[in-house]
Amino acid sequence: MVLSPKLEFRQSQSLVMTPQLMQAIKLLQLSNMELVAYVEAELERNPLLERITEGEGAADAASGETPSETAARDDAPAPEREAAVSGDWMEGDMEPSRAAMETRLDTDLGNVFPDDAPADRGATGGGSTGQSPSTGEWGGGERGDDYNPEAFLTAETTLADHLEAQLSVAVSDPARRLIGVHIIGLIDETGYFTGDLDQLAEQLGVPRAEVEAVLKLIQTFEPSGVGARNLAECLAIQLKERDRFDPAMQALVANLELLARHDRNALKRICAVDAEDLADMIGEIRRLDPKPGLAFGSGVVHPLVPDVYVRPGTDGTWLVELNSETLPRVLVNQTYHATVVKHARSQEEKSFLADCLQSASWLTRSLDQRARTILKVASEIVRQQDAFLLHGVRYLRPLNLRTVADAIGMHESTVSRVTSNKYISTPRGVVEMKFFFSSAISASGGGEAHSAEAVRHRIKLLIEAESADDVLSDDTLVQKLKEEGIDIARRTVAKYREGMNIPSSVQRRREKMALRSEAS
């Protein structure tokens, strides 16, 4: 066998993950808030990208101009631009049309152009300082039209701010105040201390007893119970302030697990009280606040904004539309690119502009493709789950990603990315797209399979309808579900019940009997 070099041509197919494809895949799985943040970063980085505002879109639609035509008109010479905008508020002499301009802008011209503010509005020195002679540094003058009540609003007081204000009054020693600030930083939004005293003492280089003494001091602050390390300590602090932490109550707080299980016989024996006294003690425990820190402001809570709206049509069908407010609207400023590229001197500048143009074009295409894909997947989900939209969770059909992917001609991974962190507003409420996908539970009579979510809902309804004399065990639930045509195992019922945080039949019976005795 002779070894010799030679040239060969081979043709093959392979999937190459280009940067543009990776960007499209990344955008597809982002939530609407993550998408807005991503587009904002691109707008700051890429000078060829422009945001389409609502006013610009409406004006362009009314005039019949495309964005590029609008940009070309704006870049035209002054005489042509003035002719194009005939009838605009800039037309004519400036001073005679001041009243018309203020009427059109719905504000005083001085608010738009500070240098043009009238002399009788209190501007001094040509309006360069923005202060009136009688108001000094505040610049407020008489309230008049410039009064803004929102300027006097303050931010919501957080728990940390409230505790630090009390700490500054209660502690004068700088070292102890520093310890207190660190302890407050380790108190979560519910009011519990989540740190480790030994670790904090080592970090600050002070004895553990000193750190614990400051923690005890903070536990005397408002709200009552703040700074506790567990629920028992939180309740104990509140009971001590009410002078109700007697030996019987101490025993009750030390055995909260028995109270959660409604084991009143064991509690009466441990606390050495009768049934009436125990009921009074339990009532007092229930009047306490287990999470005292929630009364104060915390982090920003973002509202749940749906990506798709589903509403019934007049002809009995379902109308599926995208939420335009969650879709960033950007365009590529071709006019600006053509202007700048003419003045590019070096090859590096030309390469930069070419990269920006390509990146901007791909972003706009990826956003458009993302919107189309979400709408296509949502429309197929609505078609598959028509019974749920009409009748509720009980009629939710079992559905998997492959069924939707095959119906719309996409890959399962694409459908999975689309349904992640996306929400649909339906007549049954705002639900995540993943909610519509659940495993199938076979029917006992060989009929159509049932959705796992529908079976969970049915189990919950059966348990909610039970009485104290007839608490349903897991075996009984299995029998009742089989009578309704649902073939399910007992361990599956137990798994679904525990997943919904529903206690066992023994615990439920104790709770219902305890509530009956309290009512009587």
Side-chain angles (χ1 to χ4, degrees):
M1 180 177 181
V2 180
L3 298 178
S4 60
K6 61 180 179 178
L7 296 176
E8 290 185 354
F9 289 98
R10 293 183 180 180
Q11 186 176 5
S12 62
Q13 293 182 345
S14 62
L15 180 62
V16 180
M17 293 289 289
T18 63
Q20 293 80 10
L21 180 59
M22 294 174 63
Q23 181 190 54
I25 293 176
K26 178 181 180 180
L27 294 181
L28 199 59
Q29 61 190 4
L30 295 180
S31 64
N32 49 38
M33 297 187 63
E34 294 171 340
L35 180 65
V36 170
Y38 179 84
V39 172
E40 288 293 334
E42 288 295 316
L43 285 169
E44 294 180 1
R45 186 188 65 84
N46 196 330
L48 300 183
L49 276 177
E50 279 189 0
R51 181 188 292 104
I52 305 177
T53 61
E54 192 68 25
E56 292 175 356
D60 295 345
S63 62
E65 291 182 331
T66 63
S68 58
E69 291 171 346
T70 304
R73 176 174 57 80
D74 293 339
D75 292 336
E80 299 179 8
R81 185 169 64 250
E82 291 177 0
V85 297
S86 60
D88 201 355
W89 66 275
M90 287 295 294
E91 184 181 16
D93 190 28
M94 186 73 172
E95 289 299 325
S97 62
R98 183 186 187 92
M101 291 166 55
E102 292 179 348
T103 303
R104 184 180 293 267
L105 294 174
D106 194 24
T107 185
D108 190 272
L109 193 61
N111 296 332
V112 183
F113 305 103
D115 293 337
D116 291 334
D120 58 355
R121 293 296 296 273
T124 61
S128 60
T129 62
Q131 301 176 3
S132 66
S134 60
T135 56
E137 63 180 2
W138 297 102
E142 297 180 0
R143 289 188 175 181
D145 298 334
D146 294 333
Y147 176 67
N148 181 16
E150 294 182 359
F152 299 93
L153 298 179
T154 57
E156 187 177 9
T157 302
T158 63
L159 178 62
D161 295 336
H162 184 66
L163 295 177
E164 288 178 3
Q166 298 177 73
L167 180 68
S168 62
V169 176
V171 179
S172 59
D173 182 29
R176 290 173 63 89
R177 185 176 295 180
L178 178 63
I179 297 174
V181 170
H182 280 78
I183 291 176
I184 292 174
L186 295 174
I187 295 178
D188 62 14
E189 62 180 8
T190 60
Y192 286 86
F193 176 71
T194 58
D196 182 81
L197 292 180
D198 294 326
Q199 183 178 358
L200 184 57
E202 182 180 356
Q203 177 184 353
L204 299 177
V206 296
R208 185 185 187 278
E210 186 72 14
V211 178
E212 190 167 4
V214 177
L215 177 61
K216 292 293 183 182
L217 176 63
I218 293 177
Q219 289 176 352
T220 63
F221 292 172
E222 291 292 333
S224 180
V226 72
R229 285 161 283 190
N230 50 58
L231 177 60
E233 188 176 17
C234 178
L235 299 178
I237 293 172
Q238 299 179 56
L239 290 169
K240 289 177 182 177
E241 291 189 1
R242 301 185 181 191
D243 198 19
R244 282 290 293 120
F245 200 59
D246 52 28
M249 191 65 79
Q250 293 181 29
L252 178 59
V253 172
N255 294 273
L256 292 177
E257 67 280 356
L258 297 178
L259 181 60
R261 295 202 300 264
H262 294 273
D263 193 351
R264 299 205 171 196
N265 293 327
L267 288 175
K268 287 189 294 183
R269 185 175 62 254
I270 294 174
C271 299
V273 295
D274 56 17
E276 184 177 357
D277 290 338
L278 181 62
D280 293 339
M281 293 166 60
I282 293 176
E284 192 162 0
I285 289 290
R286 289 177 175 174
R287 287 190 293 270
L288 302 177
D289 189 357
K291 296 180 180 180
L294 295 182
F296 292 84
S298 57
V300 179
V301 178
H302 298 287
L304 186 63
V305 181
D307 299 85
V308 181
Y309 288 108
V310 177
R311 52 189 177 88
T314 56
D315 55 351
T317 60
W318 295 101
L319 302 179
V320 183
E321 58 183 356
L322 292 173
N323 183 4
S324 59
E325 296 181 357
T326 64
L327 300 176
R329 303 173 62 188
V330 295
L331 56 84
V332 183
N333 194 333
Q334 300 282 359
T335 304
Y336 180 69
H337 173 264
T339 303
V340 175
V341 76
K342 294 178 182 179
H343 300 83
R345 300 178 180 177
S346 62
Q347 185 63 32
E348 183 179 357
E349 294 178 354
K350 295 180 180 180
S351 177
F352 172 76
L353 292 174
D355 292 342
C356 288
L357 180 62
Q358 184 182 25
S359 176
S361 300
W362 271 104
L363 179 61
T364 55
R365 294 178 185 177
S366 299
L367 291 174
D368 180 69
Q369 184 64 33
R370 176 184 182 273
R372 294 175 183 272
T373 306
I374 292 176
L375 186 61
K376 185 181 295 185
V377 173
S379 300
E380 180 61 23
I381 291 176
V382 169
R383 191 185 71 83
Q384 295 280 352
Q385 301 292 359
D386 176 77
F388 160 77
L389 298 175
L390 290 174
H391 307 292
V393 181
R394 185 174 180 179
Y395 294 88
L396 190 67
R397 294 180 53 191
L399 186 65
N400 54 38
L401 297 174
R402 172 166 296 190
T403 302
V404 175
D406 293 342
I408 62 178
M410 292 184 177
H411 196 269
E412 290 181 50
S413 61
T414 304
V415 177
S416 177
R417 292 186 178 95
V418 170
T419 55
S420 297
N421 303 317
K422 310 295 188 307
Y423 293 87
I424 301 181
S425 177
T426 71
R428 301 290 170 182
V430 180
V431 295
E432 191 178 6
M433 283 191 179
K434 291 288 187 183
F435 169 80
F436 295 99
F437 297 90
S438 61
S439 56
I441 303 297
S442 59
S444 57
E448 186 178 357
H450 302 272
S451 168
E453 190 65 34
V455 174
R456 290 190 188 94
H457 180 69
R458 185 56 186 155
I459 293 173
K460 182 179 179 181
L461 292 180
L462 289 173
I463 293 177
E464 289 178 350
E466 67 185 6
S467 62
D469 299 326
D470 187 19
V471 177
L472 304 177
S473 64
D474 292 344
D475 291 326
T476 307
L477 289 172
V478 170
Q479 186 62 33
K480 286 186 173 292
L481 291 174
K482 285 186 177 180
E483 293 174 359
E484 298 180 5
I486 302 174
D487 188 9
I488 189 172
R490 188 193 64 81
R491 62 179 179 274
T492 307
V493 171
K495 182 180 70 173
Y496 288 171
R497 174 180 55 76
E498 293 172 357
M500 294 184 288
N501 295 323
I502 298 177
S504 63
S505 58
V506 176
Q507 293 179 343
R508 298 201 307 273
R509 183 178 291 106
R510 288 176 178 172
E511 293 177 3
K512 294 180 184 295
M513 295 300 293
L515 292 175
R516 173 187 291 182
S517 61
E518 290 179 2
S520 59

